[in-house]
Structures are given as C-alpha cells and as structure tokens.
C-alpha cells in the first residue's frame, strides 16, 4: 500500500489529494539467481522443501465433539534447505 506523506512522515488524508494514476516497475536482484535465462531458455532452480502436516489431512476437531465438527485446527512443519546470499527489490522507475 502506498501513501502520500509529508516531510515528517505524516500521511495526507485521501480527501486532501487529487486522484492520480502511476505505473510502477519493480526489479528483483538475487544471488544466486534461481530463475535465469540462458539463450532464451529459462531454467528454474528450487530449494529443497518438505511440508509435514502434523494433525493429518482432516485436522484436529475442536468444536463440537460430534461428527461432523464445525471447527478444526491444523499445523504444519515446513523445512527449507537452501541459501539466498542477496535479495533486493527496487523501483526501476
């Protein structure tokens, strides 16, 4: 979300500004480059990811205790193996 602010960082109220339209181009720089093009071919490199569902695919029933229940909970343990040395997002405009 973008806001217009004054020099002290105070946000201008919407009614104090005229409408505007602005295009934004963002760039991303990362090392190592996990998505890169070589000779017009794109290669996707991914991290090793493992997702473990702790309570099972249907979750843990919470309320009520009869079947079918209305509220359930679940939890996941997610493990990622890999490394990004540098990750930058910048406004190219």
């Amino acid at each position: 979300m973008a806001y217009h602010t004054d020099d002290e960082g105070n946000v201008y109220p919407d009614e104090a500004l005229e409408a505007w339209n602005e295009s934004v181009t963002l760039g991303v720089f990362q090392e190592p480059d996990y998505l890169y093009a070589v000779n017009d071919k794109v290669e996707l490199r991914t991290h090793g990811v493992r997702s473990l569902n702790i309570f099972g695919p249907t979750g843990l029933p919470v309320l009520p205790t009869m079947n079918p229940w209305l509220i359930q909970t679940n939890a996941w343990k997610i493990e990622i193996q890999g490394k990004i040395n540098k990750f930058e997002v910048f406004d190219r405009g």
Side-chain angles (χ1 to χ4, degrees):
M1 182 75 64
Y3 300 99
H4 276 247
T5 59
D6 61 19
D7 292 337
E8 286 80 39
N10 301 313
V11 177
Y12 287 107
D14 292 339
E15 60 273 3
L17 300 172
E18 294 184 22
W20 84 95
N21 187 359
E22 182 178 355
S23 296
V24 177
T25 303
L26 296 178
V28 176
F29 178 73
Q30 64 183 10
E31 291 176 5
D33 191 358
Y34 283 99
L35 179 63
Y36 68 96
V38 177
N39 299 329
D40 296 327
K41 293 182 182 179
V42 175
E43 180 182 336
L44 178 63
R45 299 180 182 182
T46 59
H47 293 295
V49 177
R50 178 171 42 186
S51 176
L52 304 171
N53 190 333
I54 294 174
F55 296 127
T58 58
L60 181 66
V62 177
L63 285 174
T65 57
M66 60 188 158
N67 193 7
W69 60 82
L70 301 175
I71 300 173
Q72 68 186 37
T73 187
N74 216 330
W76 289 264
K77 178 181 177 183
I78 299 173
E79 299 174 353
I80 299 175
Q81 180 181 7
K83 179 178 171 183
I84 294 180
N85 298 325
K86 186 175 197 176
F87 186 82
E88 295 177 347
V89 177
F90 52 94
D91 182 0
R92 295 186 54 94

